[in-house]
Amino acid sequence: MSIEDDTGAVAHVLVVGASASGLTTVEALRRKGYTGRITVLGAESHAPYDRPPLSKQILSGAWDPDRAALRSEEMLTGLDTEFVYGDPAVGLDTATRTVRTESGRELSADAIVIATGVRPRVLPGQGELTGVHVLRTLDDALALRTDLLAGSRLVVVGEGVLGSEIAATARTLGLDVTLAGPLTGPLALQVGPLVSGLLAELHTERGVRLRLGNGVTGFTGAQGRVSDVELSTGEVLPADVVVVAIGASPATEWLADSGLELDNGVVCDSRCRAAPGIYAVGDVARWHHEQLGRLIRLENRTNATEQAMAVAGAILGEDRPYEPVPYFWTDQFDAKLQVHGFLPTDAEVDVVDGDLTARRFVVRYRSGGRVTGILGWNMPKQARQRRQEIVDSVPAPVSAPAH
């Protein structure tokens, strides 16, 4: 993809999304010397906060909600930026770079950064019963914690990173927890069968019931509140509280009439540019990774920060492709996993440090003769030291197709 950008001066930058990626874009612009006007438009009423603690420290009560804030009010004021909260974007005129909001505002800018993230997927009928939750926002986490403290039986639908973390946190709080989902183990798609099997053992040892390999077909309730979760096997799981954590979809509905290419995110070139003067960053961005030769979209905190810094540079005229080695982490019980690169489920996996039985190890993933990923289980430093093996295995850059 090749998009020619404007060469005029950028007097006003509008960031749509008061997220980690949105805030980092602002900070990077200021750090790089940008002195123009910046506006941040947020859908939520909260100032920018961090999402990874929501399923762990906030949900468990180890942190007060204020501790999730990414910056103090004083630091936000120091950015000389206008923050508009509680007014979601509902439309974009690409030609004039004008964003319309739910309240009727019209905001125009020389450069627009789309940082609207993702929305949790839901199951049919889940909105008809109280006690059925998703977890994406701070308000979601606080509502779920309230229900967990009043309940005793939790069913988590979804065996990915978020679902597994919620199950671990709730079990630590003393709830009876069942983890259900169609895959064979926790994080089966993210880490492959070897590590997924070890996570299954860990959850089972800590008292989480696993009902994996079968889908959820519905919910039943009493007096308007959820009481059971029904599996495709016919098994019925009693529940006071349910969390649906079956992934998320890019929040691009407001861009439906914008003319931007929307395909599992906002499609961008290798500079994270979707159209002249319009960029996307974070979970919502699907950009051309030159070294991989394909479009990718990443949903993790590290990418939100790194991509935002790249976009700030692009707005200010830097001309470099964004081609990171992906990285994410997850904490479940006493297991801390760090993942670098890509971990195909059919990759060859070998232990390169530590010991599987001690649950302290580093494994290397190979696919097509190349090292594609490194995973560390309670060995963060050793895993990070092997990240270079992924970089050294990356093939020569592949040019983006014409667009």
Side-chain angles (χ1 to χ4, degrees), residues 24 45 160 235 242 325:
T24 302
S45 59
E235 184 178 4
V242 174
V325 173

Side-chain angles (χ1 to χ4, degrees), residues 102-167:
E102 190 173 77
S103 72
R105 283 188 177 93
E106 290 194 353
L107 303 171
S108 299
D110 303 294
I112 292 176
V113 179
I114 299 167
T116 46
V118 293
R119 300 187 195 285
R121 294 193 182 101
V122 297
L123 291 171
Q126 81 174 67
E128 301 168 8
L129 296 169
T130 60
V132 183
H133 297 256
V134 294
L135 178 52
R136 172 66 185 175
T137 68
L138 178 59
D139 291 340
D140 290 339
L142 297 177
L144 175 56
R145 174 168 168 76
T146 297
D147 259 9
L148 292 181
L149 292 177
S152 60
R153 296 173 300 184
L154 169 69
V155 174
V156 180
V157 182
E159 66 295 276
V161 173
L162 181 61
S164 298
E165 288 183 349
I166 293 169

Side-chain angles (χ1 to χ4, degrees), residues 199-266:
L199 283 170
E201 291 178 7
L202 175 64
H203 277 260
T204 300
E205 288 170 5
R206 298 303 177 92
V208 176
R209 294 187 180 87
L210 301 183
R211 292 294 185 271
L212 302 177
N214 299 286
V216 170
T217 57
F219 309 103
T220 56
Q223 284 90 43
R225 184 175 183 86
V226 70
S227 59
D228 300 285
V229 177
E230 302 165 1
L231 302 184
S232 58
T233 58
E235 184 178 4
V236 175
L237 306 174
D240 307 308
V241 188
V242 174
V243 181
V244 176
I246 55 173
S249 302
T252 57
E253 301 89 346
W254 67 284
L255 297 168
D257 298 324
S258 67
L260 298 180
E261 185 176 354
L262 306 175
D263 181 8
N264 184 29
V266 177

Side-chain angles (χ1 to χ4, degrees), residues 27 40 86 88 99 117 130 135 156 185 217 250 264 307 311-312 350 381 403:
E27 292 180 325
V40 175
V99 171
T130 60
L135 178 52
V156 180
T217 57
N264 184 29
Q307 194 168 31
V311 164
D350 59 304
K381 179 181 177 181
H403 182 80

Side-chain angles (χ1 to χ4, degrees), residues 310-371:
V311 164
I315 290 171
L316 299 180
E318 297 175 12
D319 187 25
R320 290 195 296 270
Y322 178 58
E323 41 192 11
V325 173
Y327 168 77
F328 77 89
W329 74 93
T330 178
D331 297 345
Q332 299 171 36
F333 298 111
D334 56 359
K336 297 182 180 297
L337 277 63
Q338 288 81 27
V339 176
H340 301 266
F342 297 93
L343 313 183
T345 55
D346 61 350
E348 299 175 23
V349 181
D350 59 304
V351 180
V352 293
D353 204 342
D355 181 8
L356 294 179
T357 58
R359 290 182 181 159
R360 188 172 181 274
F361 59 84
V362 177
V363 289
R364 179 170 54 203
Y365 292 69
R366 294 178 182 270
S367 183
R370 297 191 298 108
V371 176

Side-chain angles (χ1 to χ4, degrees), residues 67-118:
R67 192 169 170 185
L70 285 167
R71 300 292 181 266
S72 67
E73 191 172 332
E74 183 180 33
M75 294 175 74
L76 293 178
T77 300
L79 292 171
D80 189 23
T81 294
E82 180 186 7
F83 288 89
V84 179
Y85 300 124
D87 196 7
V90 297
L92 168 66
D93 185 322
T94 303
T96 63
R97 296 183 196 126
T98 300
V99 171
R100 301 185 311 280
T101 76
E102 190 173 77
S103 72
R105 283 188 177 93
E106 290 194 353
L107 303 171
S108 299
D110 303 294
I112 292 176
V113 179
I114 299 167
T116 46
V118 293

